Amino acid sequence: MYTFAMNPILERDILGYEDSLLLSVDETQRKELADECDALAHIFANAKGPISEEPMFFPFDVEQDTLREDIAVAPLSREEVLCNAPKTQEGQIKVPKVVR
Amino acid sequence: MQCSEDAGRANQGTEGGAIMKYLSLPLTRIHEALVQKRVTPLQLVQEALCLAKEDTCHCFEILFEEDALAFAASLKEPEKENLLWGIPYAAKNNFAVKGVEVNGSSRILQGYHPLYNATVIKKLSASKAILIGMTSMDELALGGAGVSLLSGPIYNPYDPRHERMIGGSSAGSAAAVSAGIVPFALGSDTGDSVRKPASYGGVIGLKPTWGRISRYGLYPFAPSMDTVGFFARYVEDAAIVLEALSGRDERDFSSSKEKVDPYFLQCKTPLSQPRVLVIDDIVNGVKDKMVRESFERALHQMTEDGVEVAHVSFSRKSFSRDLKLLYPIYLVLSSAEAVSNDACLDGIKYGIDVDAENYRDLMRKARSAGFGKEAKRRFVLGAFAMSKEYHETVYMTAARIRHRIASTLNDLLIQYDFIIAPTSPSIAPRFDYPKKSLEENNNPADHHLILGNLAGLPSISLPLGYEEGMPFGINVMGRAFDESRLLSFALAFEKRSGLCSEYYGKKERQ
């Protein structure tokens, strides 16, 4: 059984997750999420009984053929690559500056 | 209905002078009519498009009228051995279809046109089935209420007052089949997103074994649980579609190399004394009297038909506690996977167009404006579960319990062929039903469908009965890659219950 001293999840913790996710929620949802994360922390902390199993990440083993032979195919055309970009300039996807 | 009368007039004289609604028939009968040229693919597509345009349940986000009609018109000589030839179908709005907008019902992907076709779309196209449109869904499959961020709620075709949901996230596909617009429609199932809407919509919903069908081109949500599934009105139709879609795909390493059985042929082979298990910890959570009585009646009929029905109760054992944790386990694991799978949606390469001074601000603006409330909720919960402070105690604990659950299920399925339960403890809720808190959301009857996703097992929901004119279903879960026996059991149940043909009688009377 896992036991540890739990601090409540606060709204500032949710702000931290928003920063890492690069998105913002409104104040009402931030409060709801703090409560929900807190509830999850308690639920799993109180999951009774020893858990001897290893974590399961996939239901079955996945065979990966990463060393397959190269197959030559036609690449995407420039028009295809650019067709979904919100902003383009001179045949390239336009992005904001990384370095000021 | 004007649409059907017009279509019927086009087909008049083809079945003893009666106006036929071909799209309501089993695939084998539609195919027979096509082969005998009593109807053409063009007429079927015209009928489907007409019904889709008249639909008031918001089944479709987009219709491919021109392309569908052109493809249908090009199909001249029926392929006698190809049961999907000329059949219209719909796909959930999260399957890549080259050259058309497929936005996952999310603002962040508005305007996005995939540059390739999903494998399942390619396979159905090769079978000459005709895609008529993309169906509405919960944003990026992150939800179960059947409410599209772009087009609003998807209504249950059985409720003319439009107060009840059909559930999600594959809401539009479920509704399109339930409303008789298409004979089958593609969906995806990560927690219950095909089977629950199937129950609420009175149709069949099949979630095959994880890896049975290629997920190449399916917008990912939680890849360890995502499964391509679909809706149909007849078990044989489900077998036909499963056979067409199954198989190893080198573009999806998680797709299985297990051989594809001839499901359509094998589902007609009766099982000899199948053994089914009822987990009382699940069924005891069903409080609705009609659902409970219908389920008990079904068990009684099974016993009369030679099925061995056994009950088990886990009482104070760990599995009983695990069943109460199904929803938090699913929420933690799926949200953690969703965070990384949707990290590429940043407003730079495709999708929503916003302005900002630097790339971080641009991405934050795009993601804040582009995602809806439920998607943001899942991402934040996923970030919490994967955070340094809680990764071990929350995420890894959930993953360990998942392993324990899967082991228990697989052990049970050594001795029993199937595990059955009512798909949902009630008929479709109203949209304004009171939401439960996480702590209250521990009824196994509400969440047992997640078992199939956690363990990767095949699972099918079948119509079971009606209450207040609204349908509800029964769910059957089998062993991994044992879809032949699952469908065989389902076919026997369908014949015994008579509900599929009864549904069509009921809809005709409405």
Side-chain angles (χ1 to χ4, degrees), chain A residues 4-51:
Chain A
F4 66 106
M6 286 201 307
N7 295 318
I9 311 294
L10 302 173
E11 285 171 48
R12 64 165 183 259
D13 298 309
I14 305 301
L15 274 167
Y17 301 139
E18 291 173 50
D19 286 343
S20 68
L21 291 165
L22 289 178
L23 55 79
S24 302
V25 303
D26 61 36
E27 267 187 48
T28 308
Q29 191 174 15
R30 193 170 294 130
K31 169 88 181 57
E32 289 168 359
L33 285 166
D35 292 342
E36 200 162 18
C37 290
D38 208 49
L40 280 172
H42 280 89
I43 285 169
F44 284 100
N46 294 329
K48 290 197 174 74
I51 307 175

Side-chain angles (χ1 to χ4, degrees), chain B residues 175-191:
Chain B
V177 174
S178 177
I181 298 173
V182 285
F184 74 93
L186 299 182
S188 65
D189 191 311
T190 302

Side-chain angles (χ1 to χ4, degrees), chain B residues 120-177:
Chain B
V120 290
I121 300 293
K122 274 169 64 172
K123 284 188 170 186
L124 287 170
S125 180
S127 295
K128 313 292 193 314
I130 304 160
L131 179 61
I132 70 158
M134 308 307 283
T135 56
S136 313
M137 56 183 279
D138 293 273
E139 183 188 14
L140 301 171
L142 302 166
V147 179
S148 162
L149 191 67
L150 301 180
S151 57
I154 298 107
Y155 301 117
N156 193 314
Y158 273 86
D159 178 23
R161 285 191 294 258
H162 287 177
E163 290 171 354
R164 293 187 187 268
M165 61 178 68
I166 191 161
S169 58
S170 307
S173 285
V177 174

